[in-house]
């Protein structure tokens, strides 16, 4: 089964007739016997479009509900089951209703194509993903429904449905597009003539580019080398010289004369890498070409004219722009030049423009690195051999007479030796001295400067010519070798530099330090200024020495554009070093721009994140805050109503509704405050050894009784944590697990020790979370799947992970074997569990050898003989209101007794906590008032089932004064607000107040 074919009807704006054209094409195919069905077509109530649906088979639409309304959608499964030859799918960029198989309709189309079904579809130009910003700048409207460009480019056929802006506005005015009451607004906003003309141009250019790509592919597949002048393509040849900017601007003007003209700049270098092109000039010319909308290309070729013509024919160019030659007049004896050769060989289907410039006939060639090329010692030997060598040879030859021919060969050998050692000028000196000695000593008449035999004159001339030629060849070879070695070193430096920059491994300061080390400078700085009259500022600096505030103060200044310069101090480098310095300067500017773009991107990302959180917060306020407030207001209004006589049961139900709504508001506001503190970094946990078997049971206050099974061994090592933060994190994780667990399934909370850490695993049997969404559930304001609006605002797990990471732990999600989700909270284990502390000595009561473990929030009993102490005026704090085996100071600071009944019920130990009192260092509670009931100071021992609220251990006791909680005096509830962190209870206690 092959892949289906996609045909797209592309329009510039709504109403041009895309759907009409698609239906007309379907009728043509149906008349030819093709099996065509309407998978989904949106007629927008247009009678002529609806009339074309007659005679075409329709696949029934799905009708899901969204936002309280029925929304028709394509039934993908029904279309796949029907398996037609051709399916009509309108509005390719449409977003499907949440809960559909695919988020976008173009993804549905992909499934149809994969099933071998041909598809006819429609899309407007403004829905292409790459044109979103352009369309927004034209119309002022950001399109939210988009389709990837690649999806449209892969279409087998793209048909442009075109209409002039005037005709489209007439259709709009006649009511053929929108309803009559919407016509005036549309004509004055989106359907303005300028908007429609710009959108039409975008559509025409996009289709033209696609057609051109198909044309290029066809020419390549069929090896067509002839020029097809379908559009103007201007190729400008660059040499890397200063005339390049003039040629580029001239070529750009030629490209602008024709509609859709393209500019292509090409630089051709030889394969040996030897070139006189300036890297700085090439970088500036590349930037200029790209600014003018062209493209820059680098081609390697030894035959410059042939390589240029091959590139132009491959690009289907119609014109070539070259500069007048910089060669001097005498250099034309070596050939006609690149311009003349290209004009001769280009053929009749290509035009060649020769542009004059200021560098004409000023000469060009390889830069000569004189002086230090061969080294001073080698140059000294060259001059010594070139000047003293012929004289020494004459002295040796005075003893023998081998003949003039042998004498000339020996003097030529000395000249070659001088060329090998010292280069051109010592060799020329040797040839001159040797010719004079040959004439004076060995050419008749001897010892005179005259020559009697003309043949001897020719021999001496040949000797001088051969000597000069050999010397020039040796010197050129030495220059080439030196330049090749230097270019190799430069290429290695630039390759290392470019690789580091591309990989993002080099910052601006590191790059400047690299420049300083490479060229042996004292310091390197990148200076910039905003304008010609603005002061210079330092963007980055490396090295030692005096700081450079202006480029004029530096030993070397390398300009980068108009308002940036690389300034170096230490020494003045040779001229040939400026090539690499220019490349370093250009790279430094790129690194600086990239750093600033990254900073702007980070700021934009942070702003977008704040906007996202703000939007989510507004959504939470609009629903999750308003719903409980509305319930509270309705209940209060009902209670205040004098028209209705409420029974005790009804009144209790209304009060319970008020309490539930207040609990929801309190929980939501607490999460919002916690998340704001996490984002601002004001959470500073107070780390100490903490028992999990004490903290975990207290975190169960916000879940129904019997919904959680605990498996937390008492022998576990203590963990390094803040008890309040840990309790809050565990409460959020457990509440989330209970919320998504099936009815009747208990959530398992198990703890175990692994090496130097302790893991707490919260296991549920709910629907689970896909692997790709596991990280997303810890993001603020994220609710996985189709969670109802009343399920919270998605902050619980984000707060839990934030608190866990603040304590140096981790919180991760993984699959539960057999289905469900397991949350694993890992913390660092501390030293072994210390022995229980001895109780404080009391008058008239012996101190036991070892204090038994005190009763905690889940009701583990103290010693059997523990007696509840009386409460009242004068009773010591340590004996008032405490469970057997526990002091009152423990209750004041352990995060449970110091909270209100509501805080304990909602699992929020952070509000109302006076201070860290687990070790007896918290704020001592004030003495109970005279109005405190004696019964309110007693907490009988007893075992509380896992999952029960902490206050369930006081069942059957009368409520304390003020309704604070069963069996507790109002004065026992102390709330401290500390500086620095009002949530975690860190810092000095600023003040205390009682809940009354």
């Amino acid at each position: 089964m092959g892949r289906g074919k996609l045909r797209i009807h592309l329009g510039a704006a709504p109403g041009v007739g895309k759907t009409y054209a698609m239906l007309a094409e379907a009728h043509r195919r149906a008349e030819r016997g093709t099996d065509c069905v309407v998978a989904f077509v949106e007629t927008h109530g247009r009678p002529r479009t609806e009339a074309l649906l007659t005679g075409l088979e329709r696949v029934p639409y799905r009708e899901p509900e969204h936002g309280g309304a029925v929304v028709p959608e394509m039934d993908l499964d029904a279309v796949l089951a029907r398996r037609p030859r051709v399916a009509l799918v309108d509005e390719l960029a449409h977003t499907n209703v949440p809960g559909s198989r695919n988020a976008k309709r173009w993804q549905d189309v992909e499934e149809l194509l994969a099933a071998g079904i041909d598809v006819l579809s429609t899309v407007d130009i403004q829905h292409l993903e790459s044109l979103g910003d352009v369309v927004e700048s034209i119309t002022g409207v950001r399109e939210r429904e988009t389709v990837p460009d690649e999806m449209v480019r892969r279409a087998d056929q793209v048909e442009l449905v075109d209409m002039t802006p005037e005709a489209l506005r007439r259709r709009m005015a006649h009511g053929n597009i929108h309803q009559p009451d919407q016509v005036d607004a549309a004509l004055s906003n989106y359907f303005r003539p300028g908007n429609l003309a710009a959108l039409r141009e975008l559509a025409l250019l996009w289709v033209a580019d696609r057609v051109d790509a198909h044309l290029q592919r066809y020419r390549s597949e069929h090896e067509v080398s002839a020029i097809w002048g379908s559009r103007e393509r201007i190729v400008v040849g660059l040499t890397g010289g200063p005339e390049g900017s003039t040629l580029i601007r001239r070529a750009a003007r030629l490209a602008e004369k024709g509609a859709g003209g393209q500019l292509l700049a090409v630089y051709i270098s030889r394969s040996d890498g030897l070139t006189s092109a300036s890297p700085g000039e090439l970088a500036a010319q590349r930037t200029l070409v790209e600014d003018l909308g062209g493209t820059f290309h680098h081609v390697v070729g030894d035959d410059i004219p042939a390589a240029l013509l091959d590139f132009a024919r491959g690009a289907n160019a119609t014109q070539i722009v070259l500069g007048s030659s910089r060669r001097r007049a005498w250099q034309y004896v070596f050939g006609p030049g690149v311009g003349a050769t290209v004009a001769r060989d280009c053929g009749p289907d290509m035009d060649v423009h020769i542009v004059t410039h200021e560098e004409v006939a000023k000469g060009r060639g390889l830069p000569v690195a004189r002086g230090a090329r061969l080294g001073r010692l080698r140059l000294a030997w060259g001059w010594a051999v070139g000047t003293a060598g012929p004289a020494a040879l004459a002295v040796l030859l005075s003893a023998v007479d081998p003949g003039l021919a042998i004498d000339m060969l020996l003097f030529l050998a000395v000249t070659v030796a001088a060329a090998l050692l010292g280069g051109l000028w010592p060799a020329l000196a040797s040839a001159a001295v040797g010719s004079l000695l040959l004439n004076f000593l060995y050419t008749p008449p001897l010892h005179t400067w005259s020559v009697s035999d003309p043949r001897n004159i020719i021999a001496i001339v040949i000797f001088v010519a051969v000597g000069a030629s050999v010397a020039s060849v040796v010197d050129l070879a030495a220059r080439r070798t030196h330049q090749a070695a230097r270019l190799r070193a430069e290429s290695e430096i630039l390759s290392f530099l470019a690789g580091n920059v591309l990989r993002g491994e080099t910052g601006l300061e590191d790059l400047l330090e690299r420049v300083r080390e490479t060229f042996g400078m004292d310091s390197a700085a990148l200076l910039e200024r905003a304008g010609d009259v603005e002061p210079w500022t330092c963007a980055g600096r490396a090295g030692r020495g005096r700081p450079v505030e202006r480029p004029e103060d530096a030993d070397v200044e390398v300009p980068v554009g108009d308002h940036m310069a690389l300034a170096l101090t230490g020494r003045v480098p040779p001229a040939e070093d400026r090539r690499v310095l220019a490349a370093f300067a250009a790279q430094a500017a790129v690194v600086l721009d990239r750093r600033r773009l990254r900073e702007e991107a980070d700021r934009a990302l942070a702003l977008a994140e704040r906007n996202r959180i703000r939007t989510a917060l507004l959504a939470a306020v609009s629903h999750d805050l308003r719903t409980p407030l509305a319930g509270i207001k309705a209940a209060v209004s009902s209670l205040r109503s004098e028209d209705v006589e409420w029974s005790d049961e009804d009144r209790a139900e209304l009060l319970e509704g008020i309490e539930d709504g207040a609990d929801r508001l309190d929980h939501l506001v607490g999460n919002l405050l916690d998340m704001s503190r996490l984002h601002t970094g004001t959470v500073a946990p107070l780390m100490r050894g903490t028992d999990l078997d004490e903290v975990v049971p207290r975190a169960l206050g916000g879940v129904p009784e019997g919904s959680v099974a605990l498996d937390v061994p008492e022998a576990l090592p203590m963990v390094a944590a803040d008890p309040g933060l840990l309790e809050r994190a565990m409460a959020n994780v457990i509440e989330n697990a209970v919320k998504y667990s099936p009815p009747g399934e208990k959530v398992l909370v198990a703890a175990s020790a692994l090496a130097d850490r302790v893991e707490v695993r919260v296991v549920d049997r709910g629907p689970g979370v896909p692997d790709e969404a596991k990280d997303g559930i810890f993001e603020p304001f994220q609710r996985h799947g189709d969670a109802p609006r009343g399920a919270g605002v998605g902050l619980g797990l984000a707060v839990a992970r934030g608190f866990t990471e603040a304590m140096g732990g981790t919180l991760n999600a993984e699959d539960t074997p057999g289905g469900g989700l397991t949350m694993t909270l890992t913390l660092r284990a501390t030293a072994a569990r210390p022995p229980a502390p001895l109780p404080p000595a009391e008058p008239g009561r012996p101190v036991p050898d070892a204090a038994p473990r005190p009763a905690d929030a889940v009701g583990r009993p103290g010693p059997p003989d523990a007696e509840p102490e009386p409460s009242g005026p004068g009773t010591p704090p340590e004996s008032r209101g405490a469970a057997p085996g526990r002091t009152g100071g423990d209750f004041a600071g352990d995060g449970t007794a110091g909270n209100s009944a509501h805080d304990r019920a909602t699992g929020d130990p952070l509000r109302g906590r006076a201070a860290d009192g687990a070790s007896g260092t918290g704020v001592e509670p004030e003495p109970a008032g005279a109005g405190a009931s004696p019964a309110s100071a007693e907490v009988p021992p007893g075992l509380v089932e896992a999952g029960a609220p902490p206050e369930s251990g006081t069942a059957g006791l009368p409520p304390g004064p003020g309704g604070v909680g069963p069996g507790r005096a109002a004065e026992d509830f102390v709330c401290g607000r500390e500086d620095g962190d009002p949530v975690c209870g860190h810092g000095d206690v600023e003040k205390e107040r009682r809940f009354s």
Side-chain angles (χ1 to χ4, degrees), residues 572-598:
V572 179
E576 57 265 25
D577 286 348
R578 285 188 170 270
R579 289 158 47 100
V580 182
L581 279 174
F584 268 104
Q587 291 283 24
V590 170
V591 171
L592 179 61
D593 291 341
R594 189 176 64 182
R595 184 175 71 180
R596 290 176 174 171
L597 289 174
R598 183 167 55 249

Side-chain angles (χ1 to χ4, degrees), residues 393-720:
L393 180 60
V395 172
L396 293 175
L397 292 177
S398 61
V400 294
D401 185 14
L404 182 60
I406 300 298
D407 294 338
M408 295 181 65
L409 290 176
L410 292 175
F411 276 100
L412 182 60
V414 173
T415 301
V416 171
L420 290 173
L421 291 174
L424 178 62
W425 295 109
L428 292 178
S430 175
V433 173
S435 63
L436 292 176
L437 291 176
L438 285 172
N439 182 18
F440 187 79
L441 297 176
Y442 306 108
T443 304
L446 301 176
H447 307 294
T448 63
W449 299 109
S450 60
V451 180
S452 60
D453 190 348
R455 290 177 297 178
N456 293 334
I457 296 177
I458 296 175
I460 293 175
V461 170
I462 292 175
F463 166 77
V464 173
V466 170
S469 299
V470 171
S472 64
V473 169
V474 172
D475 181 72
L476 180 61
R479 286 170 50 196
R480 293 280 190 177
T481 302
H482 172 74
Q483 188 184 34
R486 182 173 185 83
L487 288 176
R488 179 179 179 181
E490 291 178 0
S491 65
E492 290 177 354
I493 293 173
L494 295 178
S495 176
F496 174 81
L497 170 66
N500 285 346
V501 171
L502 291 176
R503 289 190 299 269
E505 299 175 356
T506 302
L508 180 59
E509 287 72 18
D510 296 332
L511 179 61
L512 294 176
E513 180 64 23
R514 178 75 178 181
V515 175
R516 189 191 67 81
E517 292 179 354
T518 301
F519 296 95
M521 295 293 181
D522 291 340
S523 67
L526 187 65
L527 307 178
E528 62 174 347
R529 60 181 177 180
D532 295 334
V533 297
E534 299 294 330
W536 290 92
T537 59
C538 182
R541 185 177 183 273
R544 59 189 183 279
R546 56 183 174 84
V548 179
E549 298 180 354
R550 299 183 306 166
E552 295 82 5
D553 300 335
D555 295 322
V556 182
E557 172 194 356
V558 183
V560 185
D562 297 331
H563 303 115
M564 189 177 293
L566 178 63
L568 299 100
T569 61
R571 67 182 182 90
V572 179
E576 57 265 25
D577 286 348
R578 285 188 170 270
R579 289 158 47 100
V580 182
L581 279 174
F584 268 104
Q587 291 283 24
V590 170
V591 171
L592 179 61
D593 291 341
R594 189 176 64 182
R595 184 175 71 180
R596 290 176 174 171
L597 289 174
R598 183 167 55 249
E599 292 173 354
E600 292 179 3
D602 292 341
R603 288 194 295 268
L605 184 62
L607 180 60
E609 179 66 16
R610 289 196 296 269
N611 289 337
R612 187 182 68 82
I613 293 178
R614 187 180 297 112
T615 302
L617 179 59
L618 291 176
V621 171
S622 66
H623 183 276
D624 294 275
L625 287 179
R626 186 170 58 186
T627 300
L629 284 175
I632 293 173
K633 180 175 175 55
V636 172
S637 300
S638 300
L639 289 174
R640 290 173 54 89
S641 175
E642 299 178 356
D643 300 335
V644 181
E645 185 69 26
W646 300 102
S647 64
D648 293 341
E649 292 80 4
D650 294 337
R651 187 179 301 274
E653 185 177 353
L654 291 174
L655 291 175
E656 183 180 358
I658 294 174
E659 185 178 8
D660 290 341
D663 290 345
R664 287 182 58 187
L665 287 176
D666 183 74
H667 186 70
L668 175 61
V669 172
N671 275 336
L672 291 173
L673 292 176
D674 292 341
M675 182 52 59
S676 68
R677 293 184 180 99
L678 286 171
H679 276 287
T680 55
T682 58
V683 175
L686 182 60
M687 306 294 289
R688 61 182 177 83
T690 304
D691 283 333
L692 284 178
D693 59 340
E694 293 183 0
V695 174
V696 174
R698 293 204 301 263
L700 308 181
V703 299
E705 183 176 352
S707 60
V708 177
L710 287 181
D711 183 13
V712 182
E714 294 187 14
L716 280 178
M718 303 176 74
V719 296

Side-chain angles (χ1 to χ4, degrees), residues 1-31:
M1 178 182 63
R3 180 179 174 84
K5 294 185 177 180
L6 175 62
R7 175 169 178 167
I8 295 178
H9 295 79
L10 177 68
V16 296
K18 303 180 300 298
T19 305
Y20 192 93
M22 179 183 67
L23 291 172
E25 175 65 21
H27 276 285
R28 284 192 293 270
R29 297 194 181 195
E31 291 173 357

Side-chain angles (χ1 to χ4, degrees), residues 86 123 276 284 301 408 447 542 655 657 670 690 763 780 787 805-806 821 838 850 885 962 984:
V86 178
V123 70
S276 60
M408 295 181 65
H447 307 294
L655 291 175
T690 304
V763 183
E805 292 178 350
L821 187 70
L838 295 176
C984 304

